[in-house]
Amino acid sequence: MNKVIKRMQNLMIGSLTVVLIYILVGLVLIMGDKFKLTTDVVIISAFILIHGLFYIIRYLYDGLGKKVFAIDLVMGVVGIILGIFTYVYLMDDTSKVLNMIGIILGIWYIAIAVEKLFFGVKFAKAGEETSTLICFMGALIGAMGILLIFNPFGSFMLITRLMGLFTICTGILDGMTSMLFRKRAKEILKLFE
């Protein structure tokens, strides 16, 4: 069991690498007025694709995926498809970027929110004390995704800055989740036995 706990803790350290990518992408998007639309498309599609690949790696890593990270297979496939779709669809016709970039990132955040809520509900059923916090983080990320999809704020410059801010916030929330999972690895693994 100690070996399995160590593996999960290592996975959570890997998750923190993804958090750093979130924060870097968020900072780049906040400075979005310095880039072209095509650059934003490449950044966002690569960002979603890399996160999707990380989910697949986490699912396949050393047998933990089938127990703990079963939802990661779905998230990985969604991330890979959405990342490739974003690049192919929006690079083909950059006039679509203004309308679609926030929608695509919003869909990705809603998928991440579903993942967090999946864990939150599973934890709540097992009486794990962190379930409320995980559900709250999922709801917050979902709300950010919905705001990006419906974009009540208007112009493109504002939407790229909003995407950057939400990406940083999502990265921080994801980092908090990873640190929580790492710290409570033993208790969480017991829920999946």
Side-chain angles (χ1 to χ4, degrees), residues 12-26 47 51 54 116 167-179:
M12 293 303 102
I13 290 171
S15 295
L16 293 176
T17 305
V18 174
V19 169
L20 291 175
I21 293 171
Y22 266 91
I23 292 170
L24 288 174
V25 168
F47 165 67
H51 199 172
F54 177 75
K116 299 282 182 265
T167 300
I168 291 170
C169 290
T170 301
I172 291 169
L173 291 172
D174 211 32
M176 290 170 59
T177 305
S178 295
M179 288 188 298

Side-chain angles (χ1 to χ4, degrees), residues 12 15 20-21 28 71 78 108 112 122-123 154 164 176 190:
M12 293 303 102
S15 295
L20 291 175
I21 293 171
V28 167
I71 195 168
V78 168
W108 179 240
I112 292 171
K122 187 148 183 92
F123 292 178
M176 290 170 59
K190 285 179 185 175

Side-chain angles (χ1 to χ4, degrees), residues 87-135:
Y87 183 78
V88 170
Y89 182 73
L90 295 181
M91 287 301 279
D92 182 42
D93 183 4
T94 54
S95 68
K96 300 173 192 169
V97 172
L98 292 174
N99 297 326
M100 294 297 297
I101 199 85
I103 293 171
I104 290 170
L105 197 57
I107 291 169
W108 179 240
Y109 287 164
I110 289 172
I112 292 171
V114 167
E115 176 213 14
K116 299 282 182 265
L117 292 171
F118 167 82
F119 283 116
V121 168
K122 187 148 183 92
F123 292 178
K125 287 180 182 175
E128 170 63 33
E129 61 190 36
T130 60
S131 63
T132 306
L133 182 60
I134 301 293
C135 285

Side-chain angles (χ1 to χ4, degrees), residues 5-69:
I5 292 169
K6 192 72 176 158
R7 288 178 192 152
M8 180 155 170
Q9 289 174 334
N10 289 340
L11 275 175
M12 293 303 102
I13 290 171
S15 295
L16 293 176
T17 305
V18 174
V19 169
L20 291 175
I21 293 171
Y22 266 91
I23 292 170
L24 288 174
V25 168
L27 291 171
V28 167
L29 290 173
I30 286 174
M31 299 181 299
D33 57 344
K34 295 176 176 53
F35 300 106
K36 293 188 212 175
L37 294 176
T38 53
T39 307
D40 288 336
V41 170
V42 170
I43 290 169
I44 290 171
S45 60
F47 165 67
I48 294 171
L49 183 64
I50 289 167
H51 199 172
L53 289 170
F54 177 75
Y55 275 121
I56 296 290
I57 291 167
R58 194 164 76 174
Y59 174 78
L60 295 173
Y61 180 76
D62 220 2
L64 279 175
K66 293 178 181 85
K67 284 182 159 183
V68 181
F69 299 111

